[in-house]
Amino acid sequence: MSEPKILIVDDEEASRYGMARALKNYDITEAASVEAARQIAAKSRPDLILLDNNLPGASGMDYLQELSANEDAPPVVMITAHGSERTAIAAIKAGAYDYLAKPFEVDELRLVVKNALEASGLRRENERLRAELKAARGVGDLLGASDAMRRIYDLINKVAATDVTVLIRGESGTGKELVARAIHERSAHRRDGAFIAMNCAALPSELIESELFGHERGAFTGAAGQRKGKFESASGGTIFLDEIGDMSLNTQAKLLRVLEERKVERLGGSHSIPIDVRVISATNRDLAAAVAEEKFRADLYYRLRVVQIDLPALRDRREDISMLAENFLQTYAKRYQLKCSEIGAEAMKRLVAYDWPGNVRELRNAIERSAVLADGKTLRPDDLPEEIGSAQASLKSASTFQRSSQTGAGEAADVLSIPYLADFREARREFERAYIERVLAETGGNVTRAAERVGMHRQSLQQKLKDLGLTRRYVLNDEAQDSDDE
Ligand SMILES: Nc1ncnc2c1ncn2[C@@H]1O[C@H](COP(=O)(O)OP(=O)(O)OP(=O)(O)O)[C@@H](O)[C@H]1O
Ligand SMILES: [Mg+2]
């Protein structure tokens, strides 16, 4: 990565020289006037401008006002003459990030610069996310720019052009219903027809059947009038059978017949009605396993999954989290007129680190709640729901192994999916900790056997445990067990 760029605007050469020397770790350019500064800023987009107020020609304050009117402008630190507090206050009011009164200490300069650059970095990051967001708008209401989501958009576009029957699989909250709607909306020949959704888990069998197929008067006790079923209503459009895995075997048999014959018969009716619908079904269950257990009909399963769309869990496409979070925040900030309008870097790290068992729905709800309750403009870790706000912290203190075994995720993937940590050494420590804890969990906490397993000397492993702060948990435990073994 390149160094942050700082533009120093000051007409006194000695003063520019002094500042440039104090800030030699940055990429410095210098300008002796506002005119020169404008030209440089337009070309090189500095991350920060150090602006002297007393300049020949246009003053620093003039330039500051110009910059403040421009949303893309970098933050400005105003440099004022000794004893001119009023100018300093005016500069802050006009939008300067901070000010420095001459003469200032080198350390003071460095600190102000560091803080201003951090603020600028956050702003840039948010700009980047917003730009990414525009690019990441997928199909329909779906968002996400990960490869996994792009493959889903492709599939949606392909199946939309046809009438093929689609089965959508994915954990709760991964967007199955959004995908179904997107397919419907992209089907030129069906989008003017109805999209009718039916939750097959919510009702007892007879009711589901009467909902799906309709009934004639007196078909069963309580069937007062005649009723059109959802298959009929969806004619020309799409029927979405949600949670299909929960359907009873009896209803499955009837559904299969409808799909094969492309006709429905209302309950208690005597003639069949032709239907013209696309069928999309969804489930968060493992239907193949249900088939093996004879809880789901194999013939129906194959009929439903002519094309299968598998939606990835959010934790398997973490690269989409920041953009989704930002999008939800913007939505709710606007809807509720909230003060909170950006996600701080630390809070974002926790969001990315968290495992999201409830997937995108959980993320959306977490952002809504946090944004409504947050006090400041920037969302902080403390604003997040407890389990999320501590996502990173728990990773540091507790064992990744335990976290992963609770969520039931694949073990090998877990050690490698340590949420990104900016610092390499930190990431390596997290890896070592997760790795060693896993091996220790497998050996029941026995350090001697764990050392053998990973090809280390017992003493080295013990030293490692000490370094990683894991001694209290394992060493004592181990000594007792080792003496049993030996
Ligand atoms: N890819 C996505 N982009 C934007 N929002 C999404 C995405 N996936 C899910 N959501 C959000 O999550 C909510 C839940 O999605 P949806 O109802 O489609 O999930 P589902 O897979 O049907 O879940 P369930 O199995 O619990 O019914 C949506 O209303 C939407 O706000
Ligand atoms: Mg759903």
Side-chain angles (χ1 to χ4, degrees):
M1 263 213 307
S2 57
E3 311 305 333
K5 287 191 237 168
I6 301 177
L7 171 59
I8 299 174
V9 191
D10 196 323
D11 58 329
E12 279 171 55
E13 196 181 342
S15 156
R16 290 200 306 268
Y17 175 76
M19 284 191 266
R21 221 175 56 162
L23 301 172
K24 61 176 183 291
N25 293 333
Y26 298 99
D27 176 355
I28 302 286
T29 40
E30 300 176 21
S33 68
V34 169
E35 287 71 27
R38 280 195 197 107
Q39 282 179 14
I40 293 172
K43 254 187 265 151
S44 76
R45 292 185 49 82
D47 299 297
L48 172 67
I49 300 184
L50 295 176
L51 180 59
D52 187 29
N53 184 38
N54 290 318
L55 294 168
S59 74
M61 195 63 92
D62 295 334
Y63 188 34
L64 171 64
Q65 269 154 358
E66 204 176 297
L67 289 165
S68 301
N70 176 357
E71 261 188 40
D72 286 338
V76 173
V77 171
M78 192 66 131
I79 297 164
T80 58
H82 177 65
S84 52
E85 274 71 31
R86 297 227 334 253
T87 316
I89 292 168
I92 300 288
K93 278 197 181 146
Y97 175 80
D98 205 344
Y99 73 92
L100 280 165
K102 277 181 179 174
F104 44 79
E105 301 286 329
V106 166
D107 285 345
E108 203 185 340
L109 170 67
R110 288 188 184 137
L111 183 65
V112 169
V113 162
K114 181 171 168 278
N115 290 340
L117 281 172
E118 267 169 24
S120 151
L122 178 59
R123 198 181 46 102
R124 288 258 153 118
E125 177 64 10
N126 281 324
E127 277 168 17
R128 192 186 60 72
L129 280 173
R130 267 172 221 149
E132 204 175 76
L133 206 64
K134 276 197 196 129
R137 215 158 264 293
V139 171
D141 289 332
L142 292 161
L143 294 170
S146 55
D147 288 345
M149 285 311 288
R150 287 182 201 277
R151 279 195 292 275
I152 303 285
Y153 305 150
D154 261 6
L155 264 175
I156 291 175
N157 286 325
K158 281 195 187 123
V159 299
T162 71
D163 265 343
V164 79
T165 302
V166 181
L167 174 65
I168 307 169
R169 274 198 10 117
E171 290 178 16
S172 179
T174 46
K176 296 186 289 295
E177 182 152 358
L178 292 187
V179 169
R181 285 182 191 278
I183 294 174
H184 174 72
E185 280 153 21
R186 303 230 129 200
S187 302
H189 58 301
R190 296 211 166 266
R191 66 169 157 242
D192 294 330
F195 175 90
I196 296 207
M198 169 81 198
N199 185 332
C200 307
L203 299 170
S205 278
E206 312 88 73
L207 274 180
I208 290 184
E209 288 174 22
S210 111
E211 286 281 320
L212 285 177
F213 312 129
H215 60 76
E216 296 295 344
R217 190 171 162 188
F220 50 88
T221 24
Q226 184 199 52
R227 179 172 189 169
K228 216 176 172 184
K230 299 209 168 192
F231 268 100
E232 272 180 76
S233 308
S235 209
T238 306
I239 190 163
F240 175 51
L241 304 173
D242 204 359
E243 314 211 21
I244 189 90
D246 294 347
M247 190 177 262
S248 73
L249 282 165
N250 221 340
T251 310
Q252 287 175 33
K254 292 189 180 152
L255 175 62
L256 179 67
R257 225 180 55 228
V258 171
L259 297 182
E260 305 220 298
E261 295 174 2
R262 299 261 140 203
K263 282 187 223 150
V264 278
E265 214 166 272
R266 293 183 183 160
L267 303 187
S270 55
H271 68 289
S272 43
I273 305 155
I275 47 155
D276 164 31
V277 289
R278 137 119 66 195
V279 178
I280 303 179
S281 47
T283 179
N284 51 25
R285 303 209 175 183
D286 182 352
L287 278 193
V291 168
E293 289 167 26
E294 301 190 352
K295 290 191 180 127
F296 203 86
R297 293 181 67 114
D299 44 11
L300 179 61
Y301 174 53
Y302 294 116
R303 186 100 338 241
L304 292 174
R305 54 157 253 175
V306 178
V307 170
Q308 180 164 318
I309 299 185
D310 285 303
L311 287 181
L314 186 55
R315 66 185 160 280
D316 294 331
R317 52 181 184 104
R318 287 187 200 268
E319 62 270 40
D320 283 339
I321 293 177
S322 53
M323 177 264 291
L324 283 164
E326 174 70 17
N327 178 270
F328 293 137
L329 182 72
Q330 296 310 324
T331 307
Y332 292 116
K334 213 189 219 169
R335 181 178 307 167
Y336 304 136
Q337 301 284 311
L338 303 176
K339 186 161 82 182
C340 181
S341 63
E342 63 188 17
I343 301 174
E346 192 50 38
M348 192 63 99
K349 261 195 215 162
R350 314 273 167 115
L351 291 172
V352 173
Y354 184 61
D355 267 344
W356 302 108
N359 294 294
V360 187
R361 181 188 288 114
E362 186 184 7
L363 173 62
R364 189 197 62 193
N365 293 344
I367 297 287
E368 176 178 16
R369 181 184 132 186
S370 314
V372 167
L373 298 180
D375 293 316
K377 177 164 176 283
T378 306
L379 201 70
R380 292 166 307 115
D382 286 351
D383 297 320
L384 296 170
E386 163 90 28
E387 68 279 15
I388 302 164
S390 59
Q392 184 102 349
S394 78
L395 197 77
K396 274 188 188 140
S397 59
S399 108
T400 304
F401 170 76
Q402 282 167 356
R403 273 161 33 93
S404 66
S405 55
Q406 276 163 9
T407 58
E411 285 189 6
D414 284 317
V415 173
L416 295 174
S417 73
I418 288 166
Y420 85 89
L421 297 160
D423 185 71
F424 172 72
R425 268 181 308 183
E426 181 85 6
R428 190 174 61 190
R429 271 174 77 83
E430 286 308 331
F431 173 81
E432 288 181 348
R433 191 175 284 148
Y435 175 71
I436 290 173
E437 290 212 306
R438 195 167 94 196
V439 175
L440 280 165
E442 281 166 14
T443 63
N446 184 311
V447 178
T448 309
R449 266 188 279 140
E452 268 167 27
R453 176 93 59 104
V454 302
M456 273 173 101
H457 288 296
R458 181 194 149 115
Q459 286 88 342
S460 319
L461 182 56
Q462 257 163 344
Q463 185 56 44
K464 194 95 238 156
L465 289 172
K466 230 187 247 169
D467 295 346
L468 295 170
L470 296 172
T471 10
R472 235 187 294 145
R473 290 246 289 287
Y474 292 105
V475 176
L476 292 177
N477 185 4
D478 189 48
E479 263 144 23
Q481 291 199 17
D482 279 356
S483 49
D484 287 350
D485 286 352
E486 282 151 18

